[in-house]
């Protein structure tokens, strides 16, 4: 009965490839997010969706494209992967003003 | 834009002792929420405690309590009777009342020794 689940847990790929990370929440929350945690552990918001509508799009390269087919799912597609994209990507959900619930993260390694 | 500052990159504590992690934030808003999240080596993000800015009473959750000083924009986390399982990275986070995302500090790594 995992609340926020994201797949895969680990992703190793080569530069130039395209990859996707999937996220699903079963909490009935309206809002979902993608956060990036860099090598220094700093967490930064990338995108936020509310009821399938994009509401926050921070300064993120166009190679990153989120997609929300319904309010329980928010996927992240990354084109033309670069070395600097290596990080841990967290999906989260919330029903404001409740706290964010995070998935367990996807560690992306680009070689 | 709001900023969250955690000035202690690393803290150490012995089992059964008490430790306090510092957090300050910068905001012009009067209504907001503050959180402490714990990230153990498993990299899971676990909510430790939350505080609503309009509440004067400091939040407590078992061995975890906060010292919320609104005028000073300070939100420290006190861990009492520290346990080995408390070893983790701790993040302080800010959320506006009318805005759903969290702004995080850079984290404090807590080391617990037997």
């Amino acid at each position: 009965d995992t609340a926020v689940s994201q797949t895969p847990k680990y992703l190793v790929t080569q530069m130039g490839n395209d990859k996707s990370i999937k996220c699903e929440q079963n909490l009935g929350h309206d809002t979902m997010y993608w956060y990036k945690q860099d090598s220094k552990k700093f967490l930064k918001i990338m995108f936020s969706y509310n009821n399938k509508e994009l509401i926050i799009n921070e300064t993120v390269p166009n190679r990153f494209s989120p997609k929300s087919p319904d309010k329980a799912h928010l996927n992240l597609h990354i084109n033309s992967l670069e070395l600097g994209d290596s990080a841990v990507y967290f999906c989260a959900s919330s029903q404001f003003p409740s706290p964010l619930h995070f998935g367990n993260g996807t560690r992306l390694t680009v070689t | 834009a709001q900023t969250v500052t955690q000035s202690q990159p690393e803290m150490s504590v012995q089992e059964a002792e008490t430790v306090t992690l510092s957090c300050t934030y910068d905001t012009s808003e009067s209504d907001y929420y503050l959180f402490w999240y714990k990230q153990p080596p498993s990299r899971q993000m676990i909510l430790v405690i939350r505080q609503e800015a309009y509440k004067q009473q400091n939040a407590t959750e078992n061995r975890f309590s906060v010292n919320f000083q609104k005028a000073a924009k300070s939100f420290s986390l006190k861990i009492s009777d520290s346990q080995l399982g408390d070893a983790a990275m701790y993040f302080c986070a800010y959320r506006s009342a009318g805005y759903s995302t969290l702004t995080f500090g850079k984290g404090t790594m807590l080391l617990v020794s037997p």
Side-chain angles (χ1 to χ4, degrees), chain B residues 45-104:
Chain B
M45 290 291 289
I46 303 165
L47 177 67
V48 175
I49 201 164
R50 66 179 287 187
Q51 175 81 42
E52 291 87 352
Y54 62 84
K55 289 187 179 178
Q56 292 189 339
Q57 188 172 7
N58 289 326
T60 62
E61 287 287 342
N62 301 314
R63 298 182 295 107
F64 299 87
S65 61
V66 297
N67 183 2
F68 173 49
Q69 302 288 328
K70 191 171 184 180
K73 296 179 184 175
S74 170
F75 182 61
S76 59
L77 174 69
K78 185 170 88 170
I79 307 174
S80 304
D81 187 25
S82 296
Q83 300 174 0
L84 293 177
D86 295 333
M89 181 74 93
Y90 286 81
F91 292 97
C92 178
Y94 174 101
R95 187 189 213 183
S96 297
Y99 195 64
S100 65
T101 63
L102 291 175
T103 299
F104 286 93

